[in-house]
Amino acid sequence: MEWLSPGYLLFMMLFAGLRETDRRLTRRIAACATPGVHRTLSAVEECAQSSKLWCGAAVVMAAAGGRRGRRAAGAGLVALGVAQLAANGLCKRLADRPRPPKEWIPHDEVEDRPDSSSFPSGHTAAATAFTAAVLPAWPAAGVLCAVPAALVSVERVQSGAHYPSDVAAGAVIGLAAAWLVRRQRANWVS
């Protein structure tokens, strides 16, 4: 074992710690929701499925917000598309991580989860990207979008579809997508 570098050993210890933390948090979050919270989270996730919630929010912003609303809606939808392409089109294909084991999830919602890779959470990437792109263009609308975005992220772990690290990675992808859209938009304006 002389060939193992201290950096590699440290990485492996950190990775093992992350896996254990993921396991404990997944089990705890899946077990702690009351029936009312469980129903609320499921309803929000159903609305967010296939980006229906974010497309609906974009329509309302564009219709009710004038130029600012159209700008916010456009930025949100472009960022959402970039995030979904990165998360679902690229990262899920590269990281073939299985979903949390069904026996960890004490409710029947676990039967409705997809067969694709667990890493990263595409729902979280889309929700975060849309919200983070809307926020600078129309702060009040961005704050309103943050509530269902946070609920979607919690639901992905509570339902057994993802580990917390999958959700964290999805959020990072979403933030990066929003940043890229904002940066590109600034280049177009200048």
Side-chain angles (χ1 to χ4, degrees), residues 20-76:
E20 179 59 23
T21 300
D22 256 356
R23 183 190 69 75
R24 278 186 282 131
L25 285 174
T26 300
R27 293 179 89 163
R28 184 174 295 154
I29 292 169
C32 74
T34 64
V37 169
H38 183 74
R39 280 192 302 276
T40 301
L41 291 173
S42 293
V44 171
E45 189 278 331
E46 180 62 33
C47 289
Q49 189 70 26
S50 301
S51 300
K52 294 180 290 203
L53 177 61
W54 315 117
C55 291
V59 167
V60 170
M61 283 186 258
R67 184 169 186 240
R68 177 173 61 174
R70 289 188 297 277
R71 191 170 60 245

Side-chain angles (χ1 to χ4, degrees), residues 1 10 36-37 43 45-46 51 75 82 89 98 100 102 132 134 146 152 163 165 168:
M1 294 268 191
L10 178 62
V37 169
E45 189 278 331
E46 180 62 33
S51 300
V82 170
K102 289 183 179 185
V134 165
V152 164
Y163 293 96
S165 61

Side-chain angles (χ1 to χ4, degrees), residues 117 171 183:
S117 174
R183 183 173 179 193

Side-chain angles (χ1 to χ4, degrees), residues 70-174:
R70 289 188 297 277
R71 191 170 60 245
L77 290 174
V78 171
L80 181 146
V82 170
Q84 286 189 329
L85 180 64
N88 298 329
L90 179 63
C91 294
K92 280 189 184 285
R93 294 178 192 275
L94 296 174
D96 190 23
R97 184 180 194 186
R99 303 280 173 170
K102 289 183 179 185
E103 56 271 9
W104 291 3
I105 313 303
H107 48 76
D108 63 351
E109 183 116 2
V110 73
E111 300 301 327
D112 294 335
R113 64 193 186 167
D115 293 329
S116 61
S117 174
S118 178
F119 186 87
S121 169
H123 281 78
T124 302
T128 303
F130 184 83
T131 301
V134 165
L135 193 61
W138 193 359
V143 168
L144 288 174
C145 290
V147 174
L151 292 174
V152 164
S153 297
V154 170
E155 187 280 337
R156 301 316 290 155
V157 177
Q158 191 274 328
S159 69
H162 290 285
Y163 293 96
S165 61
D166 301 335
V167 170
V172 168
I173 291 168

